[in-house]
Amino acid sequence: MSGTASRVAAQQVFTNRSDETAAFARSLDELHASLDAAAISPVADRVQGRRNVLTFYGVGGIGKTTLSHELERRFLAEAEAEGRNDVVSVRVDLSEEGAHDIETLLLRLRAGLGRLGSHWPAFDLALASYWARAHPGEPLQEFLDASPMVRRASRSAGLSEQISQNIGALVPEVGGLAGLAQRAALLVYRAIRERVRAGQLLAECELFAELIEADADYESLSFFPYLLAWDLDRQAGRGTRPKVCVFLDTFEFIDGRVDRTAERFLQRCVYLMPNVLFVLTGRNRVTWADSAVQGELDFTGPECWPNLHHSNTSSEPRQHLVGYLSESDAHSYLCEALTRDGDPVMPADVRERIVSGGQGLPLYLDLSVSHYAELLARGRRPGVGDFGGSFTAVATRSIRDLPREERDLVRTAALIDRVDADLLRAGQPSLPEGLIARFLRRPFLTHDDAYDLPHSLHLALRTAVRGADQGLPDGWSDRDRTDVAARLLRRLGERLGESAGRAATAQALALGLRVADSYGVFDDWLARAAQRLVAAGQWTEIGAGLTADAAGVPEYRAIRAAIQGVQLRRSGHARRAVEVLDGADAGIAPTSLTAQLVRLHLAHALRNHGDYNRAAEYYRGLLSGEFASAARYWLADYDYLNGRFATALAALEHRPERDAADEGERLRLIGHIWRVNARFDKATDAYTRAVALARTEGLVAAEAKALANLAQTTCWSGTVDAVTEAAVRGKELLDLVPNPVELVKIRSAESVGHAVAGDRTAALAALADTRELADGIGYRGGHNLADVAAVLISKLAGDLDEARRVRARLDDRTRASGGNTYWVPIMTTWIEGVDAAAAREPAVDWVDGSAPALARWARIGEGARRG
């Protein structure tokens, strides 16, 4: 233990918790007996109460994690002794970075189950369909390799090969896992969906078709455990029922938080997999069976979880309070932990003193054993006076006995969830490499090489270190902790780099935000990482385990608000997004990157909500900062919305583009300008180039937008087939990347197309749909598009009074919002002619002059009348 040659043998000791191990064995037996006896599998009968959760809870340091590991070890050892190869376990520590991410959790479950065999068709095909839509252009293999825990689990099971085999066998045209990386996402989704709709694929799996058709988001994904359970049931139908245990440790990191989204997703997983035993260990009793939590989670009350209710004291699996070790168990532990020639090293009086002070707390005993070994390594003969006292006293003693440099290292390790030599060196840059390497071999540090940061202190010890430190002469002040935490945070950002993948970015962000929240430090890389995830369209929950208000770190609150605002805006709730973002940068320096991030997304939300004037104010305020390029683009858009077309075109021509996504946005805005100037040839050219660029780069969302715009252009041609073609292609892509705003645009284009072609019935139907969709998502701009179609329809019917009423309504709305004001003179050409339109205010700066542009629009109105 000390690294010094010695006849003393140290070993890990598990004190036999007979009640807990017996409860685990009974839980397995009773769960499988009920599954075998069930007339209808509880997987299919989703109303049955669930009896698949075994809970061990108790205070920190009581040995819950050790118990969990020992139960898993015995579970697998017994299976090996019996020669069974249909027994698997999956372990998830919920304190890990990214452990709350439903994608990561499901892939770890699938990898674990893959050790039972390769046949998991329902889940694998649904995953392929989901991944194609949720991550267009991102290879699944890269995601599997990005997370250390997923990588280790997937490689041990050959997960990539299994998924390829299932996809290739059932839908050969997809091309297996490689197809997810190399082929267009639309083709993957289409191939699977068409087979499902034709009833040719897994029709007997009740929820399969519904989940294939559902939106590709976390809400839908959280129901995929049903598919795993269904596939597992099929495994049972081919012979002996497999035994599967999922061990969820440190459950306190997920339960009872103010935002219970992560717990809700995980609870769905447990409920939908009733043929799997979930073993939960944490500090708190699980409250799922309590009626008081109804409404916060999906499945609550004793009907759903009969064995978890506090009234159940006998049926297994159930909830168990993990107690302190008995005196005899504690003595046995100390006798076995350090031995010489098979005999206990610790004298009886020392053992008695430790047992008396520890009161059966296993972590207390661990620290006392480490302290004893350290004293032996120094050549001392430990005595009774060296032991006893409170847990904090033991922690203090353990720290005090370390050399001064190592005391600083243990304080550094206590500031953050996980460390390695590089991070410790960042925290203590003056210390030599050799000393850090020796420190990492200390027994109070746990090691798991599956992580990029493989070392950690026990959570209870991390908490105790700060209190213990106060009694030492060289103890750190709050300022010392803050300074070291800032160095750790800075180094995390440097390690991340600009080219890091999504999974690595999300994990680093979660770890960094916990440091920021705990010690009142911050670094701009956190804001950049958050924006990187936003730009990639990823909604991985960040800040897991942080306090709800994070009172000491306004930057954290601001980033959280920015993420929430983006989620709301992109799901069509622009008004709510404005409410969340407005004022979220309070208490932050206006020039800080975090404040700019909030204002950028507030401007986007205001624009979606139809408040173009206020959005423009925020964009102007960002012109000198990191988001200046985005601000200039949206100000050009603001010029376009207000009819300053020449100004907007000039800005776009001289705007440097950073990537393909930027160039696509530029082409689309150029197309908008030509479209409202009735130069449909130039608009079509710009949009067609944007479609081609997006398709080449795999930017499905951008391609869907460009196709919606193409439909808005072709609708003026009077050829319904042209608008229909673009609309159909756009809607197909919006199956992959749902965007309700673009659906409003497409439906309004169809209304205009039918109006121009003279089909009043079809035009009215599309018009009604446009308004309904716009109202459903709070998109006021959708009513502007609907009004344009309404005026054409009224003119077609010869009802000019109604056309004037709609125009007046649109005039009021666009003047108030500060955008789309050019539609009023366009409509006027249809109602009263070009001269009247040219005389109307506000004036419009048409690209090639007022007369030619208005004449082009007037001809469209005349065509509509003739039709």
Side-chain angles (χ1 to χ4, degrees), residues 142-224:
E142 286 185 9
F143 185 87
L144 292 175
D145 290 340
S147 166
M149 295 305 295
V150 176
R151 180 172 62 246
R152 181 168 68 174
S154 66
R155 288 181 178 176
S156 67
L159 182 58
S160 299
E161 294 77 8
Q162 289 188 5
I163 295 177
S164 293
Q165 179 181 333
N166 284 320
I167 296 172
L170 292 170
V171 191
E173 59 268 37
V174 170
L177 189 68
L180 299 186
Q182 298 170 2
R183 299 193 62 184
L186 176 60
L187 297 179
V188 176
Y189 173 54
R190 228 188 241 159
I192 296 174
R193 187 183 65 180
E194 287 175 359
R195 295 282 301 278
V196 169
R197 289 179 174 177
Q200 300 171 347
L201 203 59
L202 297 171
E204 69 275 21
C205 181
E206 184 182 356
L207 295 183
F208 182 72
E210 185 176 340
L211 290 173
I212 289 291
E213 297 282 357
D215 290 342
D217 56 23
Y218 275 16
E219 191 71 24
S220 299
L221 188 65
S222 64
F223 288 95
F224 277 36

Side-chain angles (χ1 to χ4, degrees), residues 74 109 132 134 214 246 295 321 378 409 420 498 504 525 585 829 841-842:
R74 295 186 182 198
L109 287 173
V246 176
L321 174 63
R378 295 182 184 182
L409 287 172
D420 65 358
E498 291 295 324
W525 75 263
D585 57 343
T829 65
E841 292 291 338

Side-chain angles (χ1 to χ4, degrees), residues 255-268:
D255 74 318
R257 294 165 54 194
V258 174
D259 180 359
R260 303 189 79 163
T261 301
E263 185 180 2
R264 187 171 72 251
F265 288 164
L266 187 140
Q267 191 211 44
R268 283 181 190 165

Side-chain angles (χ1 to χ4, degrees), residues 442-510:
R442 288 286 182 181
F444 45 72
L445 283 165
T446 61
H447 178 270
D448 188 338
D449 59 10
Y451 294 96
D452 291 332
L453 299 170
H455 302 277
S456 64
L457 286 176
H458 188 288
L459 181 61
L461 183 55
R462 286 176 54 203
T463 304
V465 163
R466 184 165 182 171
D469 201 23
Q470 295 175 355
L472 296 173
D474 65 342
W476 282 1
S477 66
D478 289 341
R479 177 62 182 271
D480 292 329
R481 291 187 187 88
T482 299
D483 290 345
V484 176
R487 292 200 293 271
L488 296 177
L489 188 61
R490 190 178 312 116
R491 182 58 187 152
L492 277 176
E494 292 168 353
R495 289 166 62 116
L496 183 64
E498 291 295 324
S499 60
R502 183 199 72 85
T505 301
Q507 291 165 16
L509 183 60

Side-chain angles (χ1 to χ4, degrees), residues 335-537:
C335 287
E336 296 175 29
L338 291 176
T339 60
R340 181 185 290 114
D341 299 328
D343 297 323
V345 169
M346 290 185 178
D349 55 349
V350 172
R351 296 198 305 268
E352 187 64 44
R353 181 64 178 269
I354 294 171
V355 171
S356 175
Q359 300 296 307
L361 184 67
L363 184 57
Y364 184 100
L365 304 181
D366 281 341
L367 290 175
S368 298
V369 169
S370 295
H371 179 50
Y372 196 99
E374 180 68 25
L375 295 178
L376 285 179
R378 295 182 184 182
R380 281 188 54 188
R381 182 184 180 87
V384 173
D386 294 312
F387 298 92
S390 66
F391 180 77
T392 300
V394 172
T396 303
R397 191 181 297 126
S398 298
I399 298 172
R400 183 192 61 204
D401 288 342
L402 296 172
R404 181 185 60 80
E405 294 85 355
E406 289 197 46
R407 286 200 293 274
D408 285 340
L409 287 172
V410 77
R411 291 158 178 151
T412 301
L415 297 179
I416 192 167
D417 294 0
R418 311 195 68 87
V419 295
D420 65 358
D422 175 70
L423 208 56
L424 287 174
R425 190 163 49 251
Q428 299 298 324
S430 64
L431 297 185
E433 297 277 349
L435 191 149
I436 292 174
R438 286 195 300 275
F439 171 76
L440 290 174
R441 293 195 292 270
R442 288 286 182 181
F444 45 72
L445 283 165
T446 61
H447 178 270
D448 188 338
D449 59 10
Y451 294 96
D452 291 332
L453 299 170
H455 302 277
S456 64
L457 286 176
H458 188 288
L459 181 61
L461 183 55
R462 286 176 54 203
T463 304
V465 163
R466 184 165 182 171
D469 201 23
Q470 295 175 355
L472 296 173
D474 65 342
W476 282 1
S477 66
D478 289 341
R479 177 62 182 271
D480 292 329
R481 291 187 187 88
T482 299
D483 290 345
V484 176
R487 292 200 293 271
L488 296 177
L489 188 61
R490 190 178 312 116
R491 182 58 187 152
L492 277 176
E494 292 168 353
R495 289 166 62 116
L496 183 64
E498 291 295 324
S499 60
R502 183 199 72 85
T505 301
Q507 291 165 16
L509 183 60
L511 183 59
L513 285 173
R514 285 200 286 274
V515 174
D517 177 53
S518 298
Y519 301 102
V521 295
F522 199 78
D523 199 282
D524 278 350
W525 75 263
L526 295 169
R528 291 190 180 94
Q531 176 62 12
R532 196 182 308 169
L533 293 178
V534 167

Side-chain angles (χ1 to χ4, degrees), residues 742-757:
E742 301 308 315
L743 282 175
V744 171
K745 293 177 182 178
I746 288 175
R747 201 64 178 122
S748 71
E750 290 173 322
S751 181
V752 168
H754 289 304
V756 172

